[in-house]
Amino acid sequence: MAFAQLAVFRGRHRRIGAADPVGSCRFSLGVLRDRVSVKLAERFGSDVSIGTIERVEPLSFSPTLIVRDLRIAQPSWAGTGDLVHLDRIDFRFRVLPLLRGKFDLTALAVDGGRVAMVRSRDGRKNWAPDKRGDKGSASAITSLTVRNLVIDYRDAVQNRRFAVTVASDAQGFRAGGNGAIDNRPVTVALSGPAIAGDGAWPFTARVNGPTITVDAKGTMASPLNTRQMTVDLTARADNLKTLDALIEAGLFGTQPVALTARVRHDDPSWVIEKLSGTIGRSRLAGANATVTKADEKTGIDGRLHFATLSFDDLETDQGRAEAAAIERRIGPRVVPGTRINLAKMGNLDGRLAVRVDRLLDMAGLRSLDTVLAIDDRRLTVAPLTVRLAQGQITGQVVVDQRGRSTPKATFDLRLKDLAHLHLRRRCADRCAAPRTAAAGRQRRYHSAGDRPLERDHRLCRDRRRIAGQDGIDAGCRCRARCADRR
């Protein structure tokens, strides 16, 4: 976010100094101005202008320079105006690291200006044009003073925008303002102690609006170093997708959520610990995960433990209404009508172990254990165990959307350990499907999108009602309607 980009010039503008450290202390400031302008123009692909540059010390291996009226134009794709317009910048840097081609900024003072940060719908960032995934950090700055600076941040990917005013002085660091997430208003704030060293830096942050509230309290390894930090989070949102506009984890729409967690970031890995809370009526008892990003790939390894879970809570109110309309048209299903779309998960690989102590709203189904494994838009749910009042369902489910616009679901399920089983042959006149020795019946069932899913059905050959299980149907009409009939 915009806060982490405050020292955007630090660490990004390598090789803008001279190779000769002694000469760099004495070269013409006019030459320096031209050189810096050229390098920044190459870096951002935009026009750059610098009013004046002044040197405070006549000769120093840690000089302080004063730059006035710095302007960096917006790249053409980001709109009109300036990416950066700063009235005055005082900065101190070490000369010797220039031998290694590194610009080592140690102190920065900004007095007046505006930074307009833009991320386009295709992911381009005007402050990091060379690498779309590049992230900045101000970890080398040991002194930061800011007055009258406004950062305007607009993100078309997550449909969010913020305009914050930044101040940093002996009284501490403060940034706050207004914005919107999914066109709904929010206020944002970040605060911490004065930046006057390179040690651990505690901070608090808050995003608050009618549909989302996130409170963060944590510690960065050094001031504004978001690459290494530990933070305790408390979040409330009207659904997970709204929260995802901040954390960008690829979450989906749900019922309202209230969550707490501890998060550690040690770039490139995120470690999520002690995650718990509620999603609608469902209660998440505990979860943890490690998320690692390498190039364009994201890997995840973790576990989720639900004390209770209703699949209806994994839909928004609109999604629930659409699912109810489909069910009225085609009848009940054998599996929940939760939508699954893996089209945008081609860069996600990993596994999540899932345990549910009690399933809600599913007569006769008590609990489940499984492992979700995803690899290039192919989701495997295996081994799957669903416990019934008597007996259990075991097997696996595979959802494959590789090279497909609509996912294909394949079920391989078996009933085990049944104490009593009453057979009824009422579905013989309803379903027509070939019988095989291995798979029993092949039938086609409707998905949440009202499109047929291919289903390898081993649950039954006829309609079966399990005694003492609150009327659970284990056959072809157990919450399903066959698409193929005689």
Side-chain angles (χ1 to χ4, degrees):
M1 287 177 57
F3 300 140
Q5 307 299 333
L6 181 61
V8 65
F9 300 109
R10 177 263 158 204
R12 294 191 183 280
H13 313 305
R14 310 296 188 191
R15 305 181 186 279
I16 68 172
D20 176 9
V22 176
S24 68
C25 298
R26 295 184 294 195
F27 55 55
S28 163
L29 293 179
V31 173
L32 175 62
R33 180 185 61 191
D34 295 341
R35 178 173 296 182
V36 171
S37 298
V38 170
K39 291 298 182 182
L40 290 179
E42 292 176 354
R43 175 68 177 84
F44 289 98
S46 302
D47 293 335
V48 175
S49 66
I50 297 175
T52 62
I53 296 181
E54 303 173 19
R55 185 172 55 217
V56 175
E57 306 88 353
L59 181 63
S60 173
F61 283 96
S62 185
T64 299
L65 301 181
I66 301 174
V67 177
R68 287 186 172 88
D69 194 20
L70 169 66
R71 292 176 181 265
I72 302 175
Q74 286 284 17
S76 58
W77 59 264
T80 60
D82 294 328
L83 163 59
V84 175
H85 178 202
L86 301 179
D87 298 335
R88 171 173 170 162
I89 316 154
D90 296 38
F91 62 93
R92 185 173 67 248
F93 63 97
R94 297 186 179 96
V95 173
L96 292 179
L98 293 177
L99 287 172
R100 304 190 302 271
K102 179 181 180 182
F103 183 61
D104 194 356
L105 181 65
T106 60
L108 177 67
V110 178
D111 190 356
R114 187 178 189 88
V115 178
M117 305 170 65
V118 176
R119 181 162 72 157
S120 64
R121 190 174 297 277
D122 63 1
R124 285 187 295 178
K125 303 174 182 178
N126 64 348
W127 69 91
D130 293 343
K131 295 182 179 180
R132 297 186 182 184
D134 194 19
K135 294 181 173 60
S137 173
S139 58
I141 295 178
T142 59
S143 176
L144 177 65
T145 303
V146 179
R147 292 184 294 271
N148 303 319
L149 176 65
V150 175
I151 297 179
D152 185 83
Y153 175 85
R154 296 179 180 271
D155 186 344
V157 174
Q158 295 295 337
N159 190 21
R160 63 189 182 189
R161 55 182 173 82
F162 308 104
V164 299
T165 300
V166 181
S168 181
D169 50 33
Q171 282 69 51
F173 178 91
R174 304 165 306 282
N178 301 310
I181 294 176
D182 197 19
N183 300 319
R184 296 167 180 170
V186 295
T187 60
V188 295
L190 172 69
S191 62
I195 297 176
D198 59 358
W201 192 69
F203 70 95
T204 59
R206 180 177 175 86
V207 177
N208 187 42
T211 59
I212 185 172
T213 299
V214 177
D215 288 292
K217 183 177 182 180
T219 302
M220 300 181 191
S222 56
L224 301 179
N225 180 10
T226 57
R227 295 190 179 194
Q228 289 184 301
M229 64 178 180
T230 300
V231 56
D232 292 319
L233 292 172
T234 301
R236 172 202 60 80
D238 61 343
N239 68 79
L240 279 179
K241 190 171 181 60
T242 301
L243 182 61
D244 191 61
L246 282 181
I247 64 177
E248 300 190 47
L251 303 177
F252 47 87
T254 64
Q255 290 298 294
V257 299
L259 301 169
T260 61
R262 168 162 289 188
V263 178
R264 290 188 292 112
H265 187 202
D266 189 4
D267 197 45
S269 296
W270 292 84
V271 179
I272 304 168
E273 302 173 322
K274 302 178 180 179
L275 175 61
S276 62
T278 59
I279 304 174
R281 296 183 301 123
S282 302
R283 184 165 66 87
L284 181 62
N288 59 62
T290 299
V291 181
T292 303
K293 292 190 176 183
D295 298 325
E296 298 298 322
K297 299 289 289 185
T298 298
I300 184 170
D301 184 24
R303 68 169 187 88
L304 299 173
H305 175 201
F306 284 92
T308 58
L309 175 64
S310 169
F311 285 100
D312 285 345
D313 289 332
L314 304 183
E315 291 272 13
T316 62
D317 289 342
Q318 179 181 353
R320 282 181 170 183
E322 292 173 354
I326 293 172
E327 186 163 320
R328 285 193 299 271
R329 186 166 66 251
I330 69 173
R333 297 180 179 85
V334 81
V335 293
T338 305
R339 292 183 181 274
I340 297 176
N341 185 0
L342 308 178
K344 297 182 180 180
M345 295 188 178
N347 293 329
L348 176 64
D349 297 330
R351 64 185 297 279
L352 282 174
V354 180
R355 174 186 173 188
V356 180
D357 293 338
R358 184 161 66 93
L359 290 165
L360 304 177
D361 304 327
M362 301 185 72
L365 306 185
R366 296 297 187 255
S367 63
L368 73 80
D369 285 281
T370 191
V371 175
L372 309 179
I374 187 166
D375 181 13
D376 186 26
R377 293 180 288 270
R378 185 177 190 268
L379 174 67
T380 302
V381 185
L384 171 65
T385 301
V386 181
R387 296 176 185 84
L388 314 174
Q390 297 182 38
Q392 60 184 359
I393 301 171
T394 63
Q396 71 172 16
V397 178
V398 177
V399 182
D400 195 345
Q401 201 168 346
R402 294 172 299 179
R404 302 169 59 97
S405 59
T406 302
K408 174 185 176 181
T410 303
F411 295 73
D412 182 2
L413 304 174
R414 294 175 177 82
L415 285 170
K416 296 177 58 178
D417 304 327
L418 299 179
H420 303 282
L421 187 66
H422 294 296
L423 301 181
R424 298 185 180 183
R425 305 193 55 82
R426 294 176 54 185
C427 72
D429 61 343
R430 297 181 179 272
C431 300
R435 183 185 297 269
T436 66
R441 293 183 185 268
Q442 281 273 344
R443 302 191 178 115
R444 296 173 66 82
Y445 291 86
H446 285 284
S447 70
D450 198 20
R451 296 182 181 179
L453 293 173
E454 294 183 9
R455 186 169 200 266
D456 295 335
H457 184 57
R458 299 188 183 184
L459 281 176
C460 68
R461 299 174 185 275
D462 303 291
R463 185 179 183 183
R464 303 171 180 176
R465 188 178 298 277
I466 304 171
Q469 295 203 17
D470 303 323
I472 180 175
D473 291 330
C476 74
R477 278 186 54 83
C478 60
R479 299 174 63 87
R481 179 178 179 180
C482 296
D484 301 322
R485 296 186 177 186
R486 287 183 176 175

